Amino acid sequence: MKISDHKQVWFIAGSQHLYGLETLNKVATNARELTESLDSHDKIPVTIKFKQVVTSAEEITEICRKASVDKNCIGVVTWMHTFSPAKMWINGLKILTKPLVHLHTQFNRKVPWSEIDMDFMNLNQSAHGDREFGHLLSRMRKNRKVIVGHWKSDWVITQLNSWMRAALGWHSMQGMKVARIGDNMRDVAVTEGDKVEAEIKFGFSVNGYGVGDLIKAIESFDDQQVKKLIEQYAEEYLLSDAVLKSNSLKKAAGIELGLRAFMKDGGHDAFTTTFEDLHGLDQLPGISVQRMMADGYGFGSEGDWKSAVLLRTIKVMDEGLTGGSSFMEDYTYHFQDDHSMVLGAHMLEICPSIASDQPKCEVHPLSIGGKNAPARLIFEVNAGPAINVSLVDLGNRFRMVANKVQVVNPEVEIPKLPVARVLWEPMPNLEISAHSWLLAGGAHHTVFSKAINIEIIEDLAEMAGIELLVIDEHTNIRDFKHYIHWNEAYYQLFQNNL
Ligand code: MN
């Protein structure tokens, strides 16, 4: 399934003139067949287009220049069918700004033992042609994803799928607009950060708006429009007559109409709110934020623009996948001898894309913020694998921290908790996971996803040239401390190259 009509990945096969026209024609035929086969696979989410066989420095520079400025090209796959002296690639790679895959494959799966001769050997040289290319990429410190395997194998398809999704996410970050409604929750450290550096590094911009701008948008809708939206709530969620007729729900629906209009008018893909700045709003936006996340908007509470961007990016990357992705917070622990767990939730703003069943819509007071009782959606989340991802600003660089977790079905009812929640067991266990997370300086806010896996995050970090610390079934504290110390040196040495 293709998840975008326009976006493309370009396929470029490397060769050289030495072999003669017949061999080069064969290289082109094979490369085209390989590309078309990949493109027709139902697990390849973006059109992959064969561009050309390149045989000279001029051709390589030209195709890299075109790829870098083409607004629909989200990345480039390269493969050396034959030997392609890599100095020819230097000027092209210097100007290539799009994510890169080095596909190390071979047209034939097996050696044709009874027929193999030197013509065959000359045509099928990826084994050393790609080594020459790999050397240059390493020499140039060029970030790329290496995929090794036969092009018809599930492994190659899976790896390409992951990289293409990451490339879509990276592409979406370029020019992404984030509205910060109100500022930061006062005195909080981790939700702050260098927004200018972030724009230089990732391509998205974060700009502040007064709550008054939102109020103006809310006031532009009349009672009839609010009533219509409440009818929609009644169709989509379980709610009592009292809630249906409540003033709170009416106000919440008004906020949703205004917020959507505000976001659309400004061309924003993500936004933040803060409960300390709700002047003129009846209540903290709850159901509106939840529903907008489900429609693909990024969101972070308390001014958390980094989580808002990350959620929007993950929403782009998880399109067409099942499981959903949401803003999340590690809220409270359930310690037990083994299998200790985390109860994840937020004051209100968890995305219903991760809900196991039809959400309930309820109205309850909020103990902080001093506003009226907000409407919210309440639900649980089915058991299964998931990840938590956090993006933080360390002062001299950005770091992502990702943890593999296993969502667990609660064994008992949780009747008095009026928010959406998820129960999970982090890998390798809560003690090592939380210990590592604290050492890494990961945030209390995360993006939780049942739809995407760590590999996609890994590919995204590679494209952005930022640090990623993964906490999974293999993590141990001693090694993790070393990674943190080594990375400190590495990112200082190479910060201008990444
Ligand atoms: Mn929070």
Side-chain angles (χ1 to χ4, degrees):
M1 185 197 75
K2 299 285 185 275
I3 58 182
S4 165
D5 292 340
H6 311 295
K7 307 285 184 290
Q8 289 181 355
V9 163
W10 288 10
F11 190 98
I12 303 168
S15 189
Q16 63 177 335
H17 280 298
L18 283 184
Y19 309 112
L21 200 58
E22 199 184 329
T23 299
L24 286 178
N25 284 341
K26 190 73 189 148
V27 168
T29 307
N30 289 351
R32 192 178 293 278
E33 184 183 332
L34 183 155
T35 313
E36 283 167 5
S37 162
L38 291 177
D39 186 52
S40 64
H41 200 287
D42 60 1
K43 285 206 181 113
I44 291 295
V46 180
T47 298
I48 173 162
K49 204 171 160 59
F50 173 67
K51 293 306 280 190
Q52 70 184 100
V53 176
V54 287
T55 56
S56 69
E58 290 74 18
E59 280 176 350
I60 291 166
T61 307
E62 182 59 12
I63 191 85
C64 288
R65 190 189 61 77
K66 282 186 181 155
S68 297
V69 296
D70 189 285
K71 66 180 186 339
N72 291 322
C73 172
I74 62 162
V76 171
V77 177
T78 49
W79 169 52
M80 305 304 121
H81 192 324
T82 65
F83 199 77
S84 179
K87 279 172 67 185
M88 296 193 302
W89 287 81
I90 292 174
N91 282 316
L93 291 171
K94 267 163 72 180
I95 58 169
L96 182 68
T97 56
K98 298 291 167 76
L100 178 66
V101 161
H102 182 189
L103 176 61
H104 184 44
T105 191
Q106 179 172 280
F107 191 73
N108 54 303
R109 192 188 286 264
K110 295 186 173 163
V111 173
W113 299 113
S114 60
E115 287 164 28
I116 187 167
D117 55 14
M118 274 323 283
D119 285 344
F120 183 93
M121 295 279 270
N122 279 335
L123 179 64
N124 298 286
Q125 299 184 23
S126 304
H128 63 281
D130 273 327
R131 278 173 161 75
E132 163 75 356
F133 188 59
H135 165 75
L136 183 80
L137 291 170
S138 290
R139 168 81 193 254
M140 291 178 74
R141 275 69 172 175
K142 190 91 184 153
N143 277 10
R144 76 280 193 186
K145 182 181 179 88
V146 177
I147 302 177
V148 183
H150 191 254
W151 47 283
K152 285 188 174 165
S153 67
D154 287 346
W155 171 253
V156 167
I157 298 292
T158 305
Q159 293 289 297
L160 269 175
N161 178 304
S162 156
W163 175 82
M164 284 177 171
R165 287 184 177 279
L168 281 168
W170 178 245
H171 187 79
S172 79
M173 278 181 156
Q174 312 313 308
M176 183 190 292
K177 289 168 81 177
V178 186
R180 202 162 185 239
I181 304 167
D183 198 80
N184 211 45
M185 178 179 166
R186 287 188 273 278
D187 290 326
V188 175
V190 77
T191 46
E192 293 282 6
D194 187 338
K195 299 194 279 291
V196 177
E197 192 56 32
E199 188 161 350
I200 294 168
K201 195 80 205 164
F202 298 99
F204 62 78
S205 68
V206 183
N207 286 296
Y209 293 86
V211 186
D213 297 327
L214 178 57
I215 303 296
K216 226 166 34 190
I218 293 169
E219 284 168 353
S220 70
F221 291 92
D222 61 31
D223 284 354
Q224 213 41 41
Q225 288 164 301
V226 169
K227 203 174 144 219
K228 230 173 128 191
L229 182 55
I230 289 180
E231 283 166 11
Q232 211 177 319
Y233 291 174
E235 265 175 43
E236 290 181 37
Y237 313 116
L238 299 166
L239 75 185
S240 67
D241 268 2
V243 168
L244 199 56
K245 289 177 187 146
S246 68
N247 195 43
S248 274
L249 195 65
K250 222 170 122 182
K251 293 287 185 190
I255 292 173
E256 176 172 340
L257 291 169
L259 200 44
R260 282 186 188 271
F262 172 82
M263 294 292 286
K264 204 170 166 210
D265 285 353
H268 302 296
D269 298 308
F271 65 108
T272 70
T273 59
T274 175
F275 66 89
E276 284 178 331
D277 188 355
L278 298 174
H279 300 291
L281 280 179
D282 174 77
Q283 55 189 266
L284 179 65
I287 187 171
S288 52
V289 170
Q290 293 180 288
R291 287 167 50 81
M292 287 171 74
M293 280 193 275
D295 287 345
Y297 282 106
F299 172 77
S301 70
E302 294 115 33
D304 187 353
W305 50 272
K306 294 188 291 303
S307 293
V309 166
L310 197 54
L311 178 59
R312 167 61 190 166
T313 307
I314 288 178
K315 292 274 184 191
V316 169
M317 300 192 300
D318 80 5
E319 206 180 317
L321 301 175
T322 54
S325 305
S326 176
F327 178 67
M328 187 59 66
E329 188 166 66
D330 291 70
Y331 226 105
T332 198
Y333 288 150
H334 182 66
F335 279 115
Q336 50 189 14
D337 291 341
D338 51 4
H339 305 296
S340 290
M341 290 180 283
V342 182
L343 187 63
H346 204 259
M347 287 193 296
L348 304 170
E349 311 93 334
I350 300 296
C351 175
S353 66
I354 61 172
S356 55
D357 283 309
Q358 188 181 24
K360 292 182 283 185
C361 174
E362 295 183 10
V363 172
H364 298 276
L366 198 66
S367 52
I368 53 177
K371 289 284 173 173
N372 289 330
R376 79 284 306 272
L377 299 174
I378 304 174
F379 50 85
E380 288 180 354
V381 179
N382 277 335
I387 57 170
N388 279 319
V389 192
S390 160
L391 174 64
V392 294
D393 182 347
L394 291 179
N396 62 349
R397 67 182 187 277
F398 291 95
R399 168 183 282 167
M400 276 207 284
V401 189
N403 188 193
K404 279 195 198 175
V405 305
Q406 187 67 30
V407 179
V408 180
N409 290 326
E411 285 171 9
V412 291
E413 296 284 305
I414 316 173
K416 290 186 177 172
L417 187 67
V419 288
R421 62 280 186 142
V422 198
L423 188 63
W424 68 76
E425 213 177 295
M427 287 186 185
N429 56 47
L430 189 148
E431 289 77 7
I432 294 175
S433 157
H435 190 155
S436 307
W437 195 275
L438 296 181
L439 289 174
H444 55 278
H445 287 163
T446 56
V447 174
F448 166 93
S449 179
K450 287 188 80 186
I452 67 160
N453 55 29
I454 295 273
E455 283 70 34
I456 299 178
I457 295 297
E458 218 172 322
D459 289 342
L460 182 70
E462 193 83 52
M463 288 168 195
I466 65 157
E467 180 186 12
L468 169 67
L469 291 171
V470 173
I471 304 165
D472 63 7
E473 62 273 32
H474 307 296
T475 299
N476 73 72
I477 299 297
R478 189 176 297 141
D479 289 346
F480 199 77
K481 277 184 184 170
H482 287 319
Y483 299 148
I484 289 174
H485 293 153
W486 296 337
N487 283 355
E488 198 73 65
Y490 172 84
Y491 283 94
Q492 285 295 321
L493 283 171
F494 291 104
Q495 60 184 340
N496 293 328
N497 279 353
L498 295 169

